[in-house]
Amino acid sequence: MAAVATQAGATVASWNVDNASVDVTLKRGTSLIEFQMKCSFDAYLLTNGDTYSYDLDIRAYDNLRHEHRMAAGYLGLVVVSRDVDEWLTHDIDAETLLMRASGYYARLQDEPPAAGKVTKAIHVPRIQRIDSKGLDVMFKYSHERLFGPIEDEAA
């Protein structure tokens, strides 16, 4: 998350205890977004092939969707290989560090209450990648939910 956030011009705060179901807070300008991060080597891909389903506990779901949050709440899902040795490759000669994982997000902010009492299946579209463009979308939403539409700078 730190590498992606830095590329997107954001700063990162991580929390040792996630009493509020928040592992990571990102800040860019005056906008904040917060994540409950999950990592899985066996993430369930729906039959459409475009969406993962992740069962999130209700407490975390309710904390992240709460309407009075100052920072928009998201579930971050990182999908990795079952083989830990494939997660990271450090090539000294090529001066590269390759991380083999894919990160996706689902906005939980302002979602309705869950029907169940234990977990809620969260659909995480594969097009909602945790990358610079994805963070742009999240920061824009976070700003606009509190302050209204961002005025076009070109105007």
Side-chain angles (χ1 to χ4, degrees), residues 26-96:
L26 300 183
K27 181 179 188 285
R28 185 167 72 186
T30 58
S31 297
L32 298 171
I33 53 178
E34 294 186 321
F35 291 88
Q36 171 70 209
M37 296 300 298
K38 300 296 181 182
C39 183
S40 177
F41 57 77
D42 65 352
Y44 179 70
L45 190 58
L46 297 177
T47 56
N48 68 9
D50 297 329
T51 306
Y52 287 104
S53 181
Y54 187 86
D55 288 337
L56 185 64
D57 68 271
I58 295 297
R59 181 183 160 280
Y61 176 77
D62 283 342
N63 283 341
L64 292 167
R65 72 172 190 82
H66 198 278
E67 64 183 286
H68 293 182
R69 295 179 55 80
M70 294 302 291
Y74 291 86
L75 168 65
L77 177 63
V78 177
V79 180
V80 296
S81 167
R82 185 176 292 273
D83 183 354
V84 174
D85 292 333
E86 292 181 8
W87 290 9
L88 210 61
T89 303
H90 190 189
D91 185 337
I92 295 171
D93 295 329
E95 295 183 353
T96 61

Side-chain angles (χ1 to χ4, degrees), residues 4 7 9-10 12 15 24-25 47 49 52-53 56 62 66 82 95 99 114 117 119 125 127 141 148 154:
V4 174
Q7 184 183 43
V12 180
W15 307 102
V24 176
T25 301
T47 56
Y52 287 104
S53 181
L56 185 64
D62 283 342
H66 198 278
R82 185 176 292 273
E95 295 183 353
M99 300 170 64
K117 298 200 184 288
T119 62
I127 62 168
Y141 172 79

Side-chain angles (χ1 to χ4, degrees), residues 137-155:
V137 169
M138 290 182 262
F139 278 117
K140 182 177 188 230
Y141 172 79
S142 181
H143 178 89
E144 289 182 344
R145 72 177 276 272
L146 293 175
F147 306 111
I150 297 173
E151 293 188 27
D152 186 5
E153 293 178 12

